[in-house]
Amino acid sequence: MNFVLEPVNPKKVNLLDLDRKGLAAFFVGLGEKPFRATQLLKWIYQEDVQDFDLMSNLSKSLRAYLTENCVIETPEIVVEQIASDATRKWVMQTHCGNRVETVFIPEEGRGTLCVSSQIGCALACTFCSTAQQGFNRNLSTAEIIGQVFVAQKRLGTTAKITNVVMMGMGEPLLNFDNVVAAMNLMMDDFTYGLSKRRVTISTSGVVPAMYRLTEVCDVSLAVSLHAVRDELRDELVPINKKYPLKELMEACRDNAKIAPRRTVTFEYVMLAGVNDSMDDARGLLKLLKTVPAKINLIPFNPFPGSSYRCSSKDTMNQFKALLNDAGIVTTIRKTRGEDIDAACGQLVGQVQDKSRRHLKLTNAGSNHVA
Ligand code: SAH
């Protein structure tokens, strides 16, 4: 065997950072055949073997090289909470000491894992508690796929992860390459083999990245809409100032073209007296007239310090009925894991804020003039 690659830096390569394509290139760089990639994926993800010495279909010298130069490293579960409805939340610690949260939602016939993409979030959606944490950094591919790996291992044979939603902490499209590599990994036949209909990425509307995604990765798309007028959306989802509704809708239409009968799911958080009038519902119909859409209404989940209230059950039902009657499939998201703060928008982890958001908010809120 002819090793042409010396590790560039003394730090070992974390093999969970590489999807099949990346691994194939890695092995070719070592003078190996590209199919070593699928062998390795199978060992790691399907056979749960992390000791390179036990990977019996790799040559002895390759095993020795991997032992010397590579690691299989995941985030580590430091807290596990199980809600009364059996939803589980794990706090996972990354090597840098920050913590992110991952949630498993068991349902009849399926198990959905809600995965984080960043430590904190750089966006400042006013109704989301992750936003209040500020931002530290993007998660690596290993830290994203590692959440699936660790969660499935922890669940063992008691439950299977059948669906993944990139709806945990962070804006996945602002960590494009690592998120796409991790999603490719989840869908790989040699790992978990999830179908593209069972992997969903949710975005607040990073329009240029939405076009890129349509081109390179066919997964289900969910868009956090939350308002049908630019003026209100500017306030709730501030990235709207950069990419307003008209541009967002155009990107959604583009994504829907990937395949016939494909739909985009629009998430709409129900905020009492803010975005929940029948006029808003009619506005939603108008906005989505030319996009193949489904709507998912999300009851607002409060968190300490939040000033919004959730719309009443009656209002949510009327809102839903108006949309359904007009022919758009509309559901109200069942709130899960509320008693352990695992519901949408409640994930906080532990973030060493580098964006100094906290400072900015404090200053903005004080009367002090420098
Ligand atoms: N940043 C991405 C991924 C987060 S997904 C995005 O914005 O889509 C989490 C979903 O929960 C998003 O639709 C988000 O807007 C919504 N959400 C955030 N805070 C919430 C809260 N307090 N109550 C209900 N839903 C919330």
Side-chain angles (χ1 to χ4, degrees), residues 228-291:
V228 295
R229 291 176 290 115
D230 278 320
E231 195 194 355
L232 179 60
R233 197 164 189 272
D234 282 352
E235 183 188 318
L236 299 178
V237 187
I239 199 170
N240 192 68
K241 290 182 204 149
K242 205 161 175 191
Y243 308 115
L245 283 166
K246 192 162 176 284
E247 290 176 30
L248 177 61
M249 287 305 131
E250 196 51 54
C252 292
R253 271 190 288 276
D254 181 68
N255 185 275
K257 280 190 217 134
I258 289 184
R261 290 193 302 280
R262 184 181 168 93
T263 53
V264 175
T265 300
F266 290 90
E267 296 157 285
Y268 194 95
V269 67
M270 297 299 292
L271 305 170
V274 176
N275 65 354
D276 65 347
S277 72
M278 289 303 114
D279 260 357
D280 288 309
R282 282 184 285 269
L284 197 48
L285 277 181
K286 207 169 147 204
L287 192 67
L288 301 184
K289 217 158 69 193
T290 56
V291 189

Side-chain angles (χ1 to χ4, degrees), residues 121 123 125 127-129 166-168 170-172 202-204 222-224 226 267 269 298-303 333 344-346:
C121 189
L123 303 181
C125 302
F127 53 87
C128 178
S129 67
M166 296 301 307
M167 294 187 186
E171 167 49 55
S202 178
T203 181
S204 55
V223 172
S224 296
H226 307 322
E267 296 157 285
V269 67
I298 316 179
F300 170 66
N301 296 305
F303 51 89
R333 187 176 290 176
C344 301
Q346 292 186 318

Side-chain angles (χ1 to χ4, degrees), residues 79-91 101-106 335-343 346-348:
V79 181
E80 174 180 73
Q81 285 173 286
I82 304 181
S84 52
D85 65 5
T87 297
R88 293 196 196 206
K89 182 168 87 172
W90 293 290
V91 178
E101 300 187 338
T102 310
V103 178
F104 179 70
I105 306 153
T335 297
R336 300 288 305 262
E338 221 174 349
D339 49 339
I340 55 167
D341 286 343
Q346 292 186 318
L347 303 186
V348 291

Side-chain angles (χ1 to χ4, degrees), residues 5 27 81 91 104 154 167 189 343 350:
L5 247 195
F27 282 117
Q81 285 173 286
V91 178
F104 179 70
R154 176 76 193 153
M167 294 187 186
D189 285 344
Q350 196 170 299

Side-chain angles (χ1 to χ4, degrees), residues 103-166:
V103 178
F104 179 70
I105 306 153
E107 280 172 294
E108 195 60 39
R110 70 173 177 185
T112 304
L113 193 71
C114 179
V115 169
S116 293
S117 57
Q118 297 182 312
I119 299 176
C121 189
L123 303 181
C125 302
T126 47
F127 53 87
C128 178
S129 67
T130 305
Q132 320 306 314
Q133 307 298 302
F135 176 71
N136 185 278
R137 67 168 169 85
N138 282 335
L139 290 177
S140 66
T141 301
E143 289 166 333
I144 300 168
I145 192 68
Q147 293 171 62
V148 186
F149 183 91
V150 168
Q152 186 58 70
K153 207 164 154 161
R154 176 76 193 153
L155 291 167
T157 51
T158 62
K160 194 166 180 254
I161 297 167
T162 60
N163 294 58
V164 168
V165 291
M166 296 301 307

